[in-house]
Amino acid sequence: MSAPIVRPLAELRALVRGWKSRGESIGVVPTMGALHEGHLSLVRAAKASCDRVIVTLFVNPRQFNNAEDFARYPRTEHADAELLGPLGVDALFVPDGDEVYPPDHATVISVSGVTAPLEGAHRPGHFDGVATVVTLLLNMTQADRAFFGEKDWQQLQLVRRLVQDLKLPVEIVPCPCVRAGDGLALSSRNQRLTAEGRARAATLPQALFEAVARIEAGEPAEATLAAAQAGLEAAGFAPVEYLALRDGETLGEPQPGRPARLLVAAWLDGVRLIDNLAVTLP
Ligand code: PAF
């Protein structure tokens, strides 16, 4: 059986009112659909700690940098509802674009600092779109807990900052990245790789794992990252937009004694792939 699809906000609000009146906790998993095992792991985490689980499916036009990417984003609503049914999802909330952003919508949420480098530098406006829609989705669902994947590491830090700054009454629950057998981080965009590109894509996580091992063993980060980038370029990644070692929370320069993160964005086969790993600085 498929998960029940709820479209009008009024219908979602009625469900949420009923659940809250019975003292039930609500978890939300925000998605843009084209669900894969990574999303399902978030749903399982939500089911394990919440009485009710809402999955949202909204392909948010405001976080895309170009109209073609938005148009090409996979849309598989019915298959998504079928995948979610057996997991016991209480509602698949699929709001209409006009209800999320009516023509007179005038509010943009903008988080500074953590959003400036990396994705922020390469995708102008992207994080304003994410921050705005996440705020809307949290307000619409009134969830007690919201589940986000660590695959989108910078997005996760943005959401944490946003919730803390706006004092939103929701707990953000980070969930580990899910990888395919060859190490590639699962992503809806992987579907767009050719078979040959998909085979080569595993070079990306391999380069990350190797660079992390070298940095943790005390090799100089700069030379290690330069070698890793050269390896990716030789494997056909073009361009490598960034391969950077950053502080895990602020995304600024890594600080001794604090958790660091190695993050990458690179194009293969016309598909933009991102990934990241934790680094313990020696
Ligand atoms: O990570 C995503 O799928 C999206 O950025 C999100 C959080 C659902 C907002 O549109």
Side-chain angles (χ1 to χ4, degrees), residues 107-132:
T107 302
V108 174
I109 307 289
S110 196
V111 177
S112 61
V114 72
T115 60
L118 310 177
E119 290 297 289
H122 287 274
R123 304 185 65 190
H126 167 68
F127 279 138
D128 282 1
V130 171
T132 303

Side-chain angles (χ1 to χ4, degrees), residues 90-174:
D90 296 280
L92 175 59
F93 178 49
V94 192
D96 282 338
D98 277 358
E99 189 151 45
V100 179
Y101 300 119
D104 57 353
H105 179 102
T107 302
V108 174
I109 307 289
S110 196
V111 177
S112 61
V114 72
T115 60
L118 310 177
E119 290 297 289
H122 287 274
R123 304 185 65 190
H126 167 68
F127 279 138
D128 282 1
V130 171
T132 303
V133 83
V134 167
T135 307
L136 286 165
L137 294 169
L138 294 176
N139 283 335
M140 289 192 279
T141 58
Q142 298 286 297
D144 302 290
R145 292 193 195 96
F147 297 77
F148 288 86
E150 291 184 348
K151 151 122 192 317
D152 294 294
W153 184 261
Q154 197 174 1
Q155 169 176 282
L156 173 62
Q157 305 319 310
L158 169 163
V159 172
R160 282 175 155 159
R161 186 75 263 152
L162 165 84
V163 163
Q164 203 172 322
D165 288 354
L166 298 183
K167 296 160 186 40
L168 300 181
V170 58
E171 179 192 347
I172 301 304
V173 184

Side-chain angles (χ1 to χ4, degrees), residues 29-33 39 42 56-61 63-64 73 101 126-127 129-131 133-134 137 147-149 152 155 159 188:
V29 180
T31 82
M32 297 205 299
H39 298 108
L42 302 179
T56 67
L57 192 178
F58 180 62
V59 185
N60 174 31
Q63 70 184 80
F64 285 82
Y73 201 84
Y101 300 119
H126 167 68
F127 279 138
V130 171
V133 83
V134 167
L137 294 169
F147 297 77
F148 288 86
D152 294 294
Q155 169 176 282
V159 172
S188 310

Side-chain angles (χ1 to χ4, degrees), residues 233-244:
E233 285 162 357
F237 287 83
V240 177
E241 286 187 352
Y242 59 81
L243 174 63

